[in-house]
Amino acid sequence: MTNRKLIIGNWKMNPGTLEEAKKIVAKTKRVAAKLDHTDVVVCPPFVFLPQLAPRRSVKHFHVGAQSVYFEESGSYTGEVSVAMLRDVGTEYVIVGHSEERKRGDTDEIVAKKVKAVIDAGLTPIVCVGEISRDVEGASHYEVLKKQIQNSFAGVPKRAGRDIVLAYEPVWAIGAKESMVPSEIYEMSLFVKKVFSDAFGPETAVKVTILYGGAVNFRNAADIISIGKVDGLLVGRESLNTVGFVELLKAVDAVK
Ligand code: 13P
């Protein structure tokens, strides 16, 4: 766990207009500049990226994409490449979100995307998480382990330290309550151990581990302090400017 925290807002397919998007960014930027130990990344839909990515660097504020395609260019209708994202000022890219995995992204595709993002010099935010918990057999540990191993297949060891790994249990996404912070701690240790086995312990201490799933301004500080994660991947609350500002301040205040 580093002392800096990383808060990522995944806007998904929201908001409906560029004007609304600009308002959310303006407010988020203002608060981000005043934070001491926290970096903020907002991930809007592709179409808003060129307008929202800062022209010159803004303190503690960055822009990310929610997805990418792994090929460089060519006949891939509807897709966007890493070079295009970089060209418009994107610094981070979410890869392997469960909502994309559900629409067909396999671990193999995720690994190709991770490699493409790293090769372009951008930072991948790689999402992993079990669909459900197996309270009796605990098979979700094995599911998660395989998912992590396969999502990084072929990714060079030296790239490991630049990866952001987001643990998002699918059952907690869009739910009312997040995972209990003490369980987040347990799972984040497990995720780190699997990552360490793949990339080596020196790289694993540098990797940024996030938690995602029903995070809001009320539970964010506990998730950081009890769950001992390096940051959060926030869905709904990142679009609610009042709540997101409170969340950022609460996280920044955690020692
Ligand atoms: P919610 O915070 O809305 O549960 O979404 C989590 C998520 O999917 C972030 O990527």
Side-chain angles (χ1 to χ4, degrees):
M1 189 174 170
T2 61
N3 45 12
R4 285 203 74 76
K5 290 145 203 153
L6 182 64
I7 305 298
I8 305 197
N10 175 10
W11 290 4
K12 309 193 180 182
M13 204 167 72
N14 302 291
T17 66
L18 177 59
E19 205 182 316
E20 283 174 86
K22 280 182 172 168
K23 277 190 196 149
I24 303 171
V25 161
K27 198 147 190 192
T28 306
K29 256 190 209 168
R30 269 202 302 278
V31 179
K34 292 188 202 134
L35 301 173
D36 292 320
H37 325 278
T38 311
D39 292 299
V40 187
V41 180
V42 297
C43 300
F46 285 140
V47 286
F48 299 150
L49 279 170
Q51 301 276 344
L52 302 184
R55 303 256 176 274
R56 59 191 107 82
S57 94
V58 175
K59 221 170 147 199
H60 311 149
F61 177 84
H62 308 270
V63 162
Q66 297 174 19
S67 181
V68 72
Y69 196 55
F70 53 80
E71 295 288 356
E72 279 177 29
S73 63
S75 307
Y76 304 103
T77 302
E79 301 294 357
V80 168
S81 74
V82 280
M84 293 169 189
L85 292 178
R86 194 182 48 204
D87 187 51
V88 297
T90 311
E91 293 174 79
Y92 291 79
V93 184
I94 297 175
V95 178
H97 192 281
S98 63
E99 286 153 14
E100 277 215 296
R101 289 181 185 265
K102 209 158 77 188
R103 291 199 303 273
D105 271 17
T106 59
D107 288 341
E108 199 186 339
I109 293 172
V110 171
K112 283 185 182 176
K113 290 184 173 184
V114 173
K115 271 188 276 176
V117 172
I118 290 170
D119 287 347
L122 307 184
T123 304
I125 303 157
V126 187
C127 301
V128 295
E130 73 279 3
I131 291 172
S132 59
R133 301 219 106 193
D134 171 11
V135 182
E136 275 166 27
S139 63
H140 52 274
Y141 285 102
E142 199 50 36
V143 169
L144 191 56
K145 185 172 161 187
K146 284 256 146 50
Q147 197 186 42
I148 297 170
Q149 288 169 340
N150 296 340
S151 299
F152 291 113
V155 175
K157 282 209 162 58
R158 66 187 145 68
R161 62 179 58 199
D162 300 320
I163 288 168
V164 175
L165 188 51
Y167 169 61
E168 289 206 302
V170 180
W171 52 268
I173 296 175
K176 227 167 140 210
E177 307 275 349
S178 75
M179 183 181 236
V180 180
S182 58
E183 283 175 12
I184 293 175
Y185 178 48
E186 189 194 311
M187 293 310 288
S188 72
L189 288 177
F190 179 75
V191 165
K192 205 159 212 166
K193 166 79 174 73
V194 176
F195 192 83
S196 171
D197 290 344
F199 285 89
E202 281 148 40
T203 305
V205 285
K206 299 223 167 65
V207 73
T208 302
I209 309 259
L210 311 181
Y211 165 80
V215 175
N216 56 43
F217 78 90
R218 289 188 192 87
N219 60 20
D222 276 355
I223 295 175
I224 294 281
S225 58
I226 303 169
K228 293 191 172 44
V229 282
D230 305 303
L232 304 165
L233 180 52
V234 187
R236 287 158 293 174
E237 193 79 313
S238 68
L239 290 148
N240 162 17
T241 42
V242 178
F244 198 51
V245 166
E246 287 310 309
L247 182 153
L248 294 176
K249 288 182 183 165
V251 167
D252 202 49
V254 176
K255 292 281 172 291

Short mmCIF file of all heavy atoms in Angstrom, two decimals, residues 10 12 94 97-99 127 168 172-175 212-215 233-237, ligand 1:
data_model
loop_
_atom_site.label_atom_id
_atom_site.label_comp_id
_atom_site.label_asym_id
_atom_site.label_seq_id
_atom_site.Cartn_x
_atom_site.Cartn_y
_atom_site.Cartn_z
N ASN A 10 -15.62 5.83 -12.96
CA ASN A 10 -16.04 5.19 -14.20
C ASN A 10 -17.47 5.62 -14.49
O ASN A 10 -18.40 5.17 -13.84
CB ASN A 10 -15.95 3.65 -14.04
CG ASN A 10 -16.48 2.91 -15.25
OD1 ASN A 10 -16.74 3.51 -16.31
ND2 ASN A 10 -16.66 1.61 -15.12
N LYS A 12 -19.28 5.09 -17.06
CA LYS A 12 -20.08 4.16 -17.89
C LYS A 12 -20.78 4.96 -19.01
O LYS A 12 -20.19 5.92 -19.49
CB LYS A 12 -21.03 3.35 -17.01
CG LYS A 12 -20.25 2.70 -15.84
CD LYS A 12 -21.00 1.65 -15.11
CE LYS A 12 -20.12 1.09 -13.98
NZ LYS A 12 -20.75 0.01 -13.24
N ILE A 94 -9.38 1.71 -18.75
CA ILE A 94 -10.00 0.58 -18.04
C ILE A 94 -10.03 -0.62 -19.00
O ILE A 94 -10.45 -0.49 -20.15
CB ILE A 94 -11.44 0.92 -17.58
CG1 ILE A 94 -11.41 2.07 -16.57
CG2 ILE A 94 -12.12 -0.31 -16.99
CD1 ILE A 94 -12.80 2.56 -16.15
N HIS A 97 -13.39 -4.62 -17.69
CA HIS A 97 -14.51 -4.39 -16.76
C HIS A 97 -15.53 -5.53 -16.92
O HIS A 97 -15.75 -6.00 -18.04
CB HIS A 97 -15.16 -3.03 -17.05
CG HIS A 97 -16.10 -2.62 -15.96
ND1 HIS A 97 -17.37 -3.14 -15.85
CD2 HIS A 97 -15.94 -1.79 -14.91
CE1 HIS A 97 -17.95 -2.62 -14.77
NE2 HIS A 97 -17.10 -1.79 -14.19
N SER A 98 -16.16 -5.91 -15.84
CA SER A 98 -17.07 -7.07 -15.91
C SER A 98 -18.21 -6.82 -16.91
O SER A 98 -18.72 -7.77 -17.51
CB SER A 98 -17.64 -7.39 -14.54
OG SER A 98 -18.41 -6.31 -14.08
N GLU A 99 -18.60 -5.55 -17.09
CA GLU A 99 -19.68 -5.27 -18.04
C GLU A 99 -19.21 -5.51 -19.48
O GLU A 99 -20.01 -5.82 -20.35
CB GLU A 99 -20.19 -3.83 -17.84
CG GLU A 99 -21.01 -3.74 -16.56
CD GLU A 99 -21.03 -2.37 -15.90
OE1 GLU A 99 -20.63 -1.38 -16.54
OE2 GLU A 99 -21.45 -2.30 -14.73
N CYS A 127 -9.53 -4.77 -14.50
CA CYS A 127 -10.58 -5.17 -13.56
C CYS A 127 -10.68 -6.69 -13.46
O CYS A 127 -10.71 -7.39 -14.49
CB CYS A 127 -11.94 -4.64 -14.01
SG CYS A 127 -11.98 -2.86 -14.15
N GLU A 168 -13.03 -5.85 -8.36
CA GLU A 168 -14.45 -5.48 -8.33
C GLU A 168 -15.28 -6.75 -8.32
O GLU A 168 -15.53 -7.34 -9.39
CB GLU A 168 -14.82 -4.71 -9.60
CG GLU A 168 -14.27 -3.32 -9.70
CD GLU A 168 -15.15 -2.44 -10.60
OE1 GLU A 168 -15.35 -2.78 -11.79
OE2 GLU A 168 -15.64 -1.43 -10.12
N ALA A 172 -21.11 -6.98 -6.26
CA ALA A 172 -21.19 -5.70 -5.52
C ALA A 172 -21.39 -4.50 -6.45
O ALA A 172 -21.72 -3.41 -6.00
CB ALA A 172 -19.94 -5.50 -4.68
N ILE A 173 -21.17 -4.71 -7.76
CA ILE A 173 -21.32 -3.60 -8.71
C ILE A 173 -22.80 -3.25 -8.88
O ILE A 173 -23.61 -4.13 -9.15
CB ILE A 173 -20.69 -3.98 -10.08
CG1 ILE A 173 -19.18 -4.18 -9.93
CG2 ILE A 173 -21.01 -2.94 -11.14
CD1 ILE A 173 -18.48 -4.67 -11.18
N GLY A 174 -23.12 -2.00 -8.68
CA GLY A 174 -24.51 -1.57 -8.81
C GLY A 174 -25.37 -1.98 -7.62
O GLY A 174 -26.58 -1.74 -7.62
N ALA A 175 -24.75 -2.60 -6.62
CA ALA A 175 -25.51 -3.07 -5.45
C ALA A 175 -25.74 -1.93 -4.47
O ALA A 175 -25.23 -0.83 -4.64
CB ALA A 175 -24.75 -4.21 -4.77
N GLY A 212 -13.60 -1.81 -6.12
CA GLY A 212 -14.76 -1.20 -6.76
C GLY A 212 -16.02 -2.01 -6.48
O GLY A 212 -15.96 -3.23 -6.32
N GLY A 213 -17.16 -1.31 -6.40
CA GLY A 213 -18.45 -1.97 -6.16
C GLY A 213 -19.21 -1.27 -5.05
O GLY A 213 -18.88 -1.45 -3.88
N ALA A 214 -20.18 -0.43 -5.45
CA ALA A 214 -21.04 0.28 -4.48
C ALA A 214 -20.26 1.16 -3.51
O ALA A 214 -20.59 1.23 -2.32
CB ALA A 214 -21.93 -0.72 -3.74
N VAL A 215 -19.24 1.82 -4.02
CA VAL A 215 -18.50 2.77 -3.18
C VAL A 215 -19.24 4.10 -3.19
O VAL A 215 -19.71 4.55 -4.24
CB VAL A 215 -17.06 2.98 -3.74
CG1 VAL A 215 -16.34 4.05 -2.94
CG2 VAL A 215 -16.28 1.67 -3.72
N LEU A 233 -12.40 2.32 -7.35
CA LEU A 233 -12.99 2.48 -8.68
C LEU A 233 -14.48 2.71 -8.45
O LEU A 233 -15.19 1.82 -7.97
CB LEU A 233 -12.73 1.22 -9.52
CG LEU A 233 -13.25 1.19 -10.94
CD1 LEU A 233 -12.83 2.40 -11.75
CD2 LEU A 233 -12.78 -0.08 -11.67
N VAL A 234 -14.91 3.91 -8.76
CA VAL A 234 -16.25 4.35 -8.36
C VAL A 234 -17.16 4.50 -9.57
O VAL A 234 -16.79 5.16 -10.54
CB VAL A 234 -16.12 5.73 -7.65
CG1 VAL A 234 -17.47 6.15 -7.06
CG2 VAL A 234 -15.05 5.69 -6.56
N GLY A 235 -18.33 3.91 -9.51
CA GLY A 235 -19.30 4.04 -10.60
C GLY A 235 -20.26 5.18 -10.32
O GLY A 235 -19.93 6.36 -10.50
N ARG A 236 -21.46 4.85 -9.85
CA ARG A 236 -22.55 5.84 -9.67
C ARG A 236 -22.12 7.11 -8.94
O ARG A 236 -22.45 8.21 -9.36
CB ARG A 236 -23.71 5.18 -8.91
CG ARG A 236 -24.51 4.20 -9.73
CD ARG A 236 -25.25 3.23 -8.85
NE ARG A 236 -24.34 2.34 -8.12
CZ ARG A 236 -24.71 1.48 -7.19
NH1 ARG A 236 -25.98 1.41 -6.85
NH2 ARG A 236 -23.82 0.70 -6.60
N GLU A 237 -21.39 6.94 -7.84
CA GLU A 237 -21.07 8.12 -7.02
C GLU A 237 -20.16 9.11 -7.75
O GLU A 237 -20.10 10.27 -7.39
CB GLU A 237 -20.44 7.67 -5.70
CG GLU A 237 -20.35 8.73 -4.64
CD GLU A 237 -21.66 9.00 -3.88
OE1 GLU A 237 -22.71 9.15 -4.52
OE2 GLU A 237 -21.60 9.05 -2.64
P1 13P B 1 -20.94 1.22 -8.75
O1 13P B 1 -19.98 2.07 -7.94
O2 13P B 1 -22.04 2.01 -9.34
O3 13P B 1 -21.40 0.01 -7.97
O4 13P B 1 -20.11 0.66 -10.00
C1 13P B 1 -18.88 0.08 -9.78
C2 13P B 1 -18.18 -0.09 -11.07
O5 13P B 1 -18.56 -0.89 -11.90
C3 13P B 1 -17.02 0.78 -11.33
O6 13P B 1 -16.28 0.33 -12.42
#
